[in-house]
Amino acid sequence: MNPRQVAEYMFDQDYFSQWMNIKMIEIKENYCLLEMPIKKEMLNGLKTVHGGVTFAFADSALAFSSNNSGDAAVALNCIINFTKAGKEGDIFKAESILVNDTRKTAVYDIKITNQNEELIAKFVGTVYKIGKKVTDL
């Protein structure tokens, strides 16, 4: 399978990413660009996007970029910095780029922006390569 096919295979089983209405815009090996509309159910008590939603969106980008080679990887450590509050009606984009790759781990930079290309959050995720194929799990 090519990287897009692997990502689509994963997405078909990822009901949370489906609930978030994530769309895969671009998928290349160790890279992805995703889009997600912000709906009312994603807001917190201050009427801004719940931090857990932003984190989950970045985590999905990490998953689709770090597994799309077909070799399974799981999150080992993730750090997020929130830079701007999102609101209902926004369209978030997440771009995940591989920055370091070793035999057992890899590090990805993920940038979340809104429809105006304003930075919403910066996420760095480290994954552990578990030595299995995505399709065997």
Side-chain angles (χ1 to χ4, degrees):
M1 288 194 285
N2 67 39
R4 178 165 275 284
Q5 290 169 323
V6 174
E8 288 173 352
Y9 171 85
M10 290 176 62
F11 185 80
D12 287 344
Q13 303 172 88
D14 185 343
Y15 301 109
F16 190 73
S17 289
Q18 291 174 34
W19 175 81
M20 290 193 296
N21 291 324
I22 289 175
K23 304 277 184 287
M24 289 188 258
I25 306 302
E26 186 176 0
I27 304 290
K28 297 185 285 192
E29 189 165 341
N30 299 311
Y31 172 90
C32 75
L33 178 63
L34 308 178
E35 192 173 271
M36 176 183 73
I38 300 302
K39 50 190 178 180
K40 181 176 67 172
E41 296 83 5
M42 297 174 166
L43 302 181
N44 62 25
L46 300 177
K47 298 180 185 170
T48 60
V49 178
H50 192 288
V53 170
T54 304
F55 187 98
F57 183 44
D59 188 50
S60 289
L62 178 64
F64 295 130
S65 59
S66 66
N67 285 280
N68 71 28
S69 68
D71 297 317
V74 295
L76 187 61
N77 183 49
C78 301
I79 299 167
I80 192 165
N81 286 296
F82 301 100
T83 56
K84 183 175 178 62
K87 59 189 183 317
E88 185 178 357
D90 279 350
I91 306 293
F92 280 10
K93 285 189 178 175
E95 183 178 39
S96 179
I97 299 171
L98 176 67
V99 294
N100 188 44
D101 193 20
T102 71
R103 187 174 55 82
K104 293 303 281 181
T105 65
V107 177
Y108 289 79
D109 275 345
I110 297 159
K111 184 171 69 169
I112 306 233
T113 56
N114 65 14
Q115 68 279 1
N116 300 319
E117 298 184 14
E118 298 167 313
L119 185 66
I120 298 296
K122 182 72 168 32
F123 180 103
V124 177
T126 302
V127 296
Y128 177 75
K129 300 172 188 178
I130 63 173
K132 295 182 180 180
K133 294 293 183 186
V134 168
T135 54
D136 291 339
L137 301 175

